[in-house]
Amino acid sequence: DTAVSQTPKYLVTQMGNDKSIKCEQNLGHDTMYWYKQDSKKFLKIMFSYNNKELIINETVPNRFSPKSPDKAHLNLHINSLELGDSAVYFCASSLGQGGYNEQFFGPGTRLTVL
Amino acid sequence: DAKTTQPNSMESNEEEPVHLPCNHSTISGTDYIHWYRQLPSQGPEYVIHGLTSNVNNRMASLAIAEDRKSSTLILHRATLRDAAVYYCILRERINTGTASKLTFGTGTRLQVTL
């Protein structure tokens, strides 16, 4: 069974559209994250939720809105997609928020905005 | 964000040990040193972490300098499957709470040859 899964794996869409990426973890973790990896391979945290509460919100355009319906799910909705949003988006989870806890990453969603 | 400095790339022969260095001279007392790796077209994968003492696990060893300003990830016998980008990360506490975050740098691309 996949520990952290994301859907879809690939997403190709036009500028201006609204899209969502879903993430689910079956590890029993209480903390989930979204990361963005751009074309230069820089991996940067965007958001983190702990027990459905937003705890990290980096400098991300408000077109990006995370939603955590329960501890096992963290979805990412993106409004009015722009060319610069093209990237690979990774979801991750961990048990607890502390620095001693490893994060488990999903396989990524490659978003291409045309 | 706390910074780490790593060589851009390193090469190793298969079956030989690999020492991947990392400098983190601005580390604070509560920052954990984490290592993750990213294989091609996959999400990052946890390797090891430590705070002050050297650490061993089934994947690797982590040697931490006494002043904590540098560390070295040791792969005891490199295989072709170890070819990846290795990230040395300081897991920083956010504000005064228990939350922390990983800030990825550019990492070291390890090439393993026969």
Side-chain angles (χ1 to χ4, degrees):
Chain A
D1 274 348
T2 306
V4 181
S5 59
Q6 298 179 226
T7 53
K9 189 169 173 61
Y10 299 97
L11 185 52
V12 181
T13 188
Q14 300 284 338
M15 261 186 3
N17 284 350
D18 303 338
K19 290 293 178 186
S20 292
I21 307 171
K22 295 187 176 183
C23 178
E24 177 181 3
Q25 53 93 6
N26 62 5
L27 298 166
H29 290 167
D30 57 0
T31 306
M32 297 185 72
Y33 313 79
W34 276 111
Y35 288 83
K36 177 182 179 181
Q37 188 166 41
D38 61 25
S39 57
K40 294 182 180 174
K41 302 297 185 182
F42 289 116
L43 192 63
K44 191 166 170 57
I45 190 167
M46 300 172 70
F47 302 104
S48 176
Y49 272 73
N50 174 256
N51 285 317
K52 302 196 298 174
E53 179 185 343
L54 182 66
I55 56 170
I56 296 175
N57 186 351
E58 295 290 287
T59 309
V60 177
N62 57 16
R63 298 182 294 104
F64 290 78
S65 52
K67 282 190 173 49
S68 181
D70 55 56
K71 287 195 300 184
H73 296 85
L74 180 62
N75 304 323
L76 184 65
H77 188 76
I78 315 170
N79 288 327
S80 303
L81 279 155
E82 300 178 357
L83 294 176
D85 298 332
S86 295
V88 181
Y89 292 84
F90 290 101
C91 176
S93 72
S94 67
L95 186 62
Q97 313 167 47
Y100 39 83
N101 294 317
E102 63 181 280
Q103 292 185 14
F104 291 79
F105 284 78
T109 295
R110 182 175 293 277
L111 171 65
T112 303
V113 182
L114 303 174
Chain B
D1 295 338
K3 286 211 160 202
T4 62
T5 306
Q6 300 176 252
N8 286 335
S9 63
M10 290 184 67
E11 283 187 28
S12 172
N13 294 323
E14 204 179 16
E15 302 294 318
E16 290 189 358
V18 182
H19 290 235
L20 298 166
C22 180
N23 287 320
H24 29 79
S25 58
T26 60
I27 191 170
S28 74
T30 56
D31 290 345
Y32 281 79
I33 302 160
H34 281 243
W35 284 81
Y36 281 73
R37 70 180 186 181
Q38 188 172 20
L39 279 64
S41 301
Q42 293 189 28
E45 173 189 29
Y46 168 82
V47 177
I48 201 166
H49 77 276
L51 186 60
T52 55
S53 306
N54 294 344
V55 184
N56 298 300
N57 68 19
R58 62 173 180 82
M59 286 182 74
S61 295
L62 176 60
I64 301 173
E66 204 169 321
D67 63 5
R68 301 211 325 128
K69 293 186 177 181
S70 65
S71 61
T72 302
L73 179 72
I74 303 164
L75 305 179
H76 296 287
R77 288 177 65 202
T79 70
L80 296 177
R81 286 177 293 181
D82 291 321
V85 177
Y86 286 78
Y87 296 98
C88 168
I89 303 159
L90 299 183
R91 185 146 181 184
E92 308 165 77
R93 181 173 289 184
I94 298 166
N95 300 322
T96 57
T98 57
S100 62
K101 66 175 182 176
L102 297 175
T103 301
F104 285 78
T106 53
T108 297
R109 182 172 298 277
L110 175 66
Q111 290 180 292
V112 181
T113 53
L114 291 169

